[in-house]
């Protein structure tokens, strides 16, 4: 406590920064280890999200049972009591209290021996010489500095040792050393050697408080005079040390700690809304969370506003509104102002700071982001520290990414996951390094689709009847989907008086569109005229949102799914139609569909690819001359905000002749197959349709290992995103950091040579799944700051 004139605000803020640094280290740990119950309980309160273990102290003196059984001095052969220790504040004030409050009440027939250069007013003066001390009390012997052998002889010659420590301490070496030799101890309740669950008859612990005068004088006088009490305490003391502070317990503690590390689950955080039957990204998020939650060793959380339906074992965490918008102030940066910003870390569990949605200490190993607009902000270090990796899933359809995204992607994401090979090319063409992207395909809920096929209202008899050959399209009413192409070519084939080779009574086109954006009123009028000219063989379900079951019934009632798109990030409806057994017509030639429109010879009978050519995008939402794309929020009056891309936006234009040929081909094939069914030449599967087997690789049930391996590959890579640099707090810290780095470089060079020698001798190889073994990484030296363990194993050089 200091007066107002002495109060230094800078020192207070400096102290705050130090505890912030301490918390920063805690929350970025896999596991915390306390060396006594005081420390362990403190860590559990501060960082409940990180596993905490207590590591037993190993006493430097262990019981010698040969000595204890044959050479130990008896009660009558011993005399006096001892305190030994270094000259530090805790020992000074403890013994000063002892000489004032307790010493006058101790039997004067026994001397107090003080070993070590411990200065105690009115008892020991150690100021004149460095190693010797002068006794100032007739009943006290001040030995000064003595050798280990001399100290051991002294401990074995006295009846007890004392430790009147007045403030919390760790495990006391002096206490353990005395008890190992069969010498009982009297200690205060601040001695960390003992706790309520770890007591010994070899120690008399004064539990009413550190200054329990009555307890100290009573217990000391008892052990000095009562042989029976002394024998009981002397016999119990070595056993306590062997059991609690022996090498065996220490080894068992480390086995448990390492087993905890090895068995520790990986924390996977899916960032974005997760709705099983929601829009495409939310649905993908739900299935990713559901799939990864079934991987042994993964603990999955979803950070978003919705998780529907609930997934067993998956927790929904509501994102704080400003957790990604705050300017992050790194706890290891220099303290440049008196009033430093408060970090977004929790303190004690029952007093959380605002905005952190997680238990203090929770650290994600991998964050998987998928949302529109994309999440490009800095992941907050309170739950995504230096060992966390961020993978963003980004379907994209326009050739190049926005310029304004590129720096944020590189700074705030480690990897971009591409739903298709086309997306990966976009990322790389936009300037992302090839090793920072990989194809992580979108998935399909095949279980739902197969179940619907079995329960479908479309009977085999209806599928084989003379009803019109039915084509279906479903999606947004936007130019990118190619609806104008489909309607115009449909009119050419089936609605022209001069092209009556195909009766428009035998065909039908269902166009189901939801949201509308991009077509002008003039273009929409032209589409309406086309529909009118086709004598009702086009059923336009405009601006219609369907329930999932109704939507699937509509698709199952068709023969052909047709999508001459200009660009897609993936094209989920195409693959769903393949699973449902429909024939599929869609755009290929560098598009997203290239990944699934190439299948086996049998599947090829149901796939009708249409060649397309990539070119600059010339329609809404593109402004190619200015490299602009206008699909970004906010959108008003049918127009969205614009962004400048890395280069002019592009998409694909199908070969319309090829499209017409494929439409006629599938029309003829469907009619031919119906005739075969009616003549029993073709055996049906009972549902009226056969799944395209090549599409099953996109089923979520088939993608678990793909995503699991993707998560592991991301974790095993070094951090790619920017992370706040470490700066020293003061000039002295700067000097220490430079010195430490210099020493570390020297050690790393030596270690590098040592590891190279082990490698050349075949001493270790790259490890596997960390669930089975602690992995070895040949880049461990270069990236040693990643916080991973490096375990070197050799055949002969362990």
């Amino acid at each position: 406590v200091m007066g107002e004139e002495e109060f230094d605000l800078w020192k207070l803020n400096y102290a705050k920064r130090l505890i912030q640094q301490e918390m920063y280290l805690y929350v970025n740990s896999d596991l915390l280890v306390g060396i006594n119950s005081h420390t362990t309980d403190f860590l559990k309160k501060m960082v409940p999200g990180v596993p905490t273990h207590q590591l037993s102290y190993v006493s430097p003196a262990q019981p010698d049972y040969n000595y204890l059984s044959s050479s130990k001095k008896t009660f009558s052969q011993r005399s006096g009591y001892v305190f030994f220790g270094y000259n530090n504040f805790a020992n000074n004030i403890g013994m000063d209290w002892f000489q004032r409050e307790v010493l006058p009440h101790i039997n004067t027939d026994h001397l107090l021996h003080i070993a070590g250069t411990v200065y105690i007013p009115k008892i020991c003066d150690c100021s004149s010489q460095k190693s010797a001390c002068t006794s100032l009390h007739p009943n006290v012997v001040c030995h000064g500095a003595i050798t280990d052998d001399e100290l051991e002889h002294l401990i074995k010659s006295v009846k007890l040792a004392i430790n009147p420590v007045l403030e919390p301490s760790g495990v006391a070496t002096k206490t353990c050393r005395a008890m190992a030799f069969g010498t009982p101890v009297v200690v205060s309740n601040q001695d960390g050697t003992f706790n309520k669950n770890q007591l010994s008859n070899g120690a008399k612990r004064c539990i009413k408080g550190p200054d329990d005068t009555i307890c100290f004088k009573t217990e000391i006088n008892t052990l000095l005079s009562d042989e029976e009490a002394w024998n009981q305490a002397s016999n119990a003391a070595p056993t306590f040390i062997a059991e609690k502070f022996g090498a065996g317990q220490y080894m068992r503690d480390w086995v448990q700690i390492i087993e905890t590390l090895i068995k520790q689950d990986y924390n996977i955080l899916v960032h974005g809304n997760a709705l099983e039957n929601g829009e495409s990204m939310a649905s993908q998020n739900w299935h990713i969370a559901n799939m990864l939650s079934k991987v042994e060793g993964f603990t999955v959380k979803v950070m978003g506003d919705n998780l529907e339906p609930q997934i067993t074992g998956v927790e929904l965490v509501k994102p704080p509104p400003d957790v990604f918008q705050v300017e992050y102030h790194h706890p290891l940066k220099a303290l440049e102002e008196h009033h430093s910003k408060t970090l977004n870390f929790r303190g004690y569990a029952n007093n959380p700071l605002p905005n952190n949605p997680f238990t203090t200490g929770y650290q994600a190993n991998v964050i998987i982001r998928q949302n529109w607009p994309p999440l490009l902000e800095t992941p907050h270090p309170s739950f995504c520290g230096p060992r966390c990796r961020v993978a963003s899933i980004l379907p994209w359809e326009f050739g190049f990414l926005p310029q304004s995204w590129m720096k944020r992607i590189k700074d705030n994401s480690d990897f971009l996951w591409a739903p298709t090979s086309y997306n990966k090319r976009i990322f790389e063409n936009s300037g992302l390094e090839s090793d920072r992207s990989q194809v992580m395909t979108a998935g399909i809920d095949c279980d739902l689709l197969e179940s619907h096929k079995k329960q479908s209202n479309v009977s085999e008899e209806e599928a084989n009847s003379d009803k019109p050959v039915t084509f279906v399209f479903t999606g947004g009413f936007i130019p990118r989907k190619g609806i104008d192409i489909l309607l115009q070519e449909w009119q050419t084939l089936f609605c022209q008086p001069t092209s009556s080779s195909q009766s428009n009574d035998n065909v039908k086109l269902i166009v189901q569109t939801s949201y509308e954006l991009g077509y002008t009123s003039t273009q929409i009028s032209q589409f309406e005229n086309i529909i009118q000219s086709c004598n009702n063989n086009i059923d336009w379900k405009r601006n219609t949102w369907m329930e999932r079951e109704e939507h699937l019934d509509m698709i199952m009632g068709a023969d052909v799914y047709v999508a001459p798109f200009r660009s897609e990030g993936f094209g989920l409806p195409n693959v769903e139609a393949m699973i449902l057994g429909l024939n599929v017509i869609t755009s290929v030639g560098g598009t997203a569909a290239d990944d699934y429109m190439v299948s086996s010879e049998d599947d090829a009978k149901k796939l009708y690819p249409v060649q397309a050519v990539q070119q600059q995008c010339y329609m809404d939402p593109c402004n190619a001359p200015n490299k602009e794309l206008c699909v970004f929020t906010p959108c008003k009056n049918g127009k969205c905000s614009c962004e400048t891309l890395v280069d002019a936006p592009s998409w694909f234009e199908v070969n319309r002749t090829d499209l017409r040929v494929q439409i006629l081909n599938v029309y003829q094939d469907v009619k031919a197959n119906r005739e075969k069914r009616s003549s029993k030449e073709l055996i049906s599967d009972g549902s009226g349709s056969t799944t395209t087997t090549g599409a099953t690789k996109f089923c979520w049930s088939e993608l678990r290992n793909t995503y699991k391996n993707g998560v592991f590959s991301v974790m095993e890579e070094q951090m790619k995103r920017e992370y706040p640099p470490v700066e020293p707090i003061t000039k002295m810290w700067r000097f220490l950091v430079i010195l430490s780095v210099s020493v570390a470089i020297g050690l790393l060079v030596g270690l590098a040579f040592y590891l190279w020698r082990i490698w050349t001798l075949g001493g270790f190889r790259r490890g596997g799944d960390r669930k089975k073994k602690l992995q070895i990484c040949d880049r461990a030296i270069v990236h040693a700051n990643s916080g991973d363990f490096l375990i070197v194993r050799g055949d002969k050089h362990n």
Side-chain angles (χ1 to χ4, degrees), residues 211-230:
D211 54 351
D212 189 350
T213 303
I214 296 176
C215 172
F216 261 93
K217 67 181 183 181
T218 301
E219 296 296 349
I220 292 173
N221 284 325
T222 298
L223 290 173
L224 289 174
S225 59
D226 189 332
E227 183 173 1
E228 182 179 356
W230 184 89

Side-chain angles (χ1 to χ4, degrees), residues 266-276 280-304 306-317 362 366-370 393 417 440-443 700-701 703-704 707-708 711:
Y266 296 106
N267 290 322
I268 312 300
L269 180 63
V270 178
H271 188 187
N273 290 334
L275 301 165
E276 184 179 17
S280 60
M281 289 187 178
S283 178
Q284 294 286 302
N285 287 341
W286 189 92
H287 286 286
I288 290 171
N290 181 57
M291 177 177 58
L292 292 181
S293 71
K294 294 177 173 58
V295 175
E296 183 181 359
F298 283 8
T299 296
V300 179
K301 295 180 187 289
V302 171
M303 186 162 70
N306 302 102
L307 172 61
E308 296 178 7
Q310 183 65 43
I311 303 170
T312 302
V314 177
E315 178 187 353
L316 173 65
V317 179
Y362 171 86
V366 173
I367 296 179
I368 301 173
R369 291 172 157 183
Q370 185 169 212
I393 302 176
W417 281 356
M440 193 62 61
T441 185
W700 286 117
S701 56
L703 290 176
R704 183 184 301 180
Y707 273 78
K708 172 186 172 183
V711 167

Side-chain angles (χ1 to χ4, degrees), residues 345-366:
F345 284 99
R346 288 189 178 191
Y348 286 92
N350 60 355
N351 185 28
L353 294 175
N355 299 333
N356 189 346
F358 300 98
T359 302
T360 305
Y362 171 86
Q363 282 285 300
N365 293 97
V366 173

Side-chain angles (χ1 to χ4, degrees), residues 418-425 438-442 565 568-571 574-575 578 586-600 607 609 694-698:
T420 63
S421 302
Y422 168 61
N423 297 133
K424 190 175 190 301
R425 289 198 304 274
Q438 66 183 95
V439 175
M440 193 62 61
T441 185
F565 63 77
E568 286 283 6
F570 183 78
N574 292 331
V575 183
M578 293 164 67
T586 197
S587 313
V588 298
T591 74
D594 287 5
D595 286 10
Y596 49 79
M597 285 295 285
V598 179
S599 300
S600 67
L607 303 181
T696 56
K697 66 182 180 181
F698 297 99

